Amino acid sequence: MKRIVLILLTVIVSLSSYAQENKVLDGIFIKETAPTRRVIPYTHIREADVMYYKRVWRIIDLREKINFPLYYPEQPIKEIGYERLSLFDVIKRGVEEGTITAYEEDEVGGQFQVPLTKSEAFDMLSEERTNIDIDPETGLEIENTYTVDIGAQDVVSYRVKEDWVFDRERSVMEVRIIGILPVIEKESAETGQKTIKGLFWIYFPEARYVFANHEVYNTTNDGSRLTFEDLFRKRVFSSYIFRETNVFDNRMIDQYSKNIDMLLESRRIEHEIINIEHDMWQY
């Protein structure tokens, strides 16, 4: 009985303090799980226990419906007593607060060798664009240059660097994400052609502590949402491999395959990893 009374008093005190700060409670309860969520630590793996090791790079295409929770909302929105952000806004806010370190894109798959300062990272989050206007008085063309901030709406995909390891101590094949690279589509002012450009790498084991405190939208139940850390750990996204470690300078798949053949090659690499795991067992 005393325990029930103590719990009720705790709830009443928390609700009253919340009401004093925010005046109105948007919802029927205070969200406390995600903001105070702790990261599940990785299991230590010894080098002597590694029977198989493979590094691959993936592309998460944000145009696929299953990946929409990573893309939306384009602007932060407040709902059900909580602020919901896209993955890019979470990364951007983490870089601004100093809880996530941005690393230079080295075009070799992310080596995390050159950390960027906050100002250097935010310089990459804006670009100059040129617009041609007609002077109404003279009829001459006027070239206007202006700066546009890059937001979540400009991100078209994410490149993910990950390692697959078979740990014989636990007899499991485990995948761990090493880094994530936001990719935008940039339009050339001269030719008008659109090109793909990677912004900066973030080290995923460091970013996990930020991702664990931000929710991802659940299309079926608002009361049972994952965090971004849960989403990546449980692999709730669609992707395809575009690069693997190989003898040919770790070349990308699109350098020797195109269109449907590129996707089939990506599927072949995935099946190869799965078959390696199956071959470790005897039935």
Side-chain angles (χ1 to χ4, degrees):
M1 184 65 182
K2 292 182 180 180
R3 186 178 180 182
I4 296 176
V5 173
L6 181 61
I7 293 174
L8 290 175
L9 288 174
T10 304
V11 173
I12 292 172
V13 170
S14 61
L15 288 174
S16 62
S17 61
Y18 185 89
Q20 290 176 0
E21 295 177 359
N22 300 274
K23 296 182 180 180
V24 176
L25 174 62
D26 181 17
I28 60 175
F29 59 89
I30 300 173
K31 288 211 167 190
E32 298 177 335
T33 303
T36 59
R37 184 79 173 271
R38 293 185 178 182
V39 173
I40 299 175
Y42 284 140
T43 303
H44 175 67
I45 299 178
R46 299 188 311 149
E47 182 181 2
D49 293 328
V50 175
M51 294 189 65
Y52 175 79
Y53 184 76
K54 184 71 171 179
R55 170 163 290 177
V56 297
W57 288 261
R58 292 180 176 273
I59 290 181
I60 300 177
D61 192 339
L62 297 182
R63 294 174 298 180
E64 297 188 42
K65 288 187 177 180
I66 191 175
N67 297 328
F68 279 0
L70 297 173
Y71 177 80
Y72 291 102
E74 295 182 350
Q75 298 294 332
I77 59 177
K78 291 186 177 180
E79 58 176 13
I80 318 179
Y82 187 79
E83 186 178 23
R84 181 157 64 93
L85 307 172
S86 66
L87 177 60
F88 183 74
D89 285 330
V90 172
I91 295 173
K92 186 176 179 180
R93 184 170 297 184
V95 172
E96 182 179 8
E97 295 173 349
T99 52
I100 295 179
T101 304
Y103 292 88
E104 185 180 57
E105 159 64 327
D106 48 22
E107 297 184 357
V108 293
Q111 299 294 321
F112 309 104
Q113 298 295 315
V114 183
L116 302 175
T117 63
K118 187 186 301 185
S119 60
E120 290 175 340
F122 271 81
D123 287 342
M124 295 183 177
L125 298 180
S126 62
E127 62 178 1
E128 291 188 353
R129 295 182 181 177
T130 303
N131 189 23
I132 304 298
D133 295 330
I134 303 297
D135 191 331
E137 296 182 358
T138 63
L140 300 176
E141 294 183 350
I142 302 176
E143 187 177 282
N144 296 323
T145 303
Y146 56 97
T147 303
V148 177
D149 292 332
I150 296 175
Q153 69 279 359
D154 300 308
V155 181
V156 295
S157 63
Y158 289 96
R159 294 184 180 181
V160 177
K161 175 183 177 181
E162 63 185 21
D163 290 344
W164 288 81
V165 178
F166 187 88
D167 182 9
R168 69 176 181 180
E169 176 70 20
R170 294 176 295 144
S171 297
V172 295
M173 177 75 83
E174 187 173 356
V175 56
R176 293 187 184 179
I177 297 176
I178 307 300
I180 297 178
L181 173 74
V183 178
I184 63 171
E185 196 173 51
K186 186 176 181 180
E187 183 176 349
S188 175
E190 299 178 355
T191 62
Q193 295 181 349
K194 294 182 178 180
T195 57
I196 298 299
K197 174 188 176 184
L199 294 177
F200 47 74
W201 283 95
I202 64 168
Y203 187 54
F204 185 76
E206 176 191 42
R208 291 177 69 216
Y209 295 91
V210 178
F211 292 168
N213 299 130
H214 290 275
E215 291 184 345
V216 182
Y217 182 74
N218 187 336
T219 57
T220 58
N221 186 358
D222 285 331
S224 179
R225 291 183 178 178
L226 299 175
T227 64
F228 282 104
E229 201 274 332
D230 293 329
L231 182 141
F232 284 109
R233 182 166 49 85
K234 297 182 178 181
R235 314 287 293 179
V236 191
F237 58 86
S238 175
S239 64
Y240 60 91
I241 295 174
F242 74 95
R243 188 185 217 172
E244 66 166 337
T245 51
N246 55 64
V247 69
F248 303 104
D249 298 327
N250 291 351
R251 63 180 180 180
M252 297 185 184
I253 294 179
D254 61 5
Q255 293 180 355
Y256 61 94
S257 295
K258 300 295 182 182
N259 303 325
I260 189 65
D261 291 332
M262 183 179 68
L263 295 178
L264 292 175
E265 177 68 6
S266 172
R267 186 65 60 86
R268 182 196 66 80
I269 297 172
E270 290 182 357
H271 286 174
E272 178 182 312
I273 296 174
I274 295 173
N275 291 334
I276 288 292
E277 180 184 10
H278 290 173
D279 291 343
M280 294 292 181
W281 297 87
Q282 292 183 355
Y283 298 96

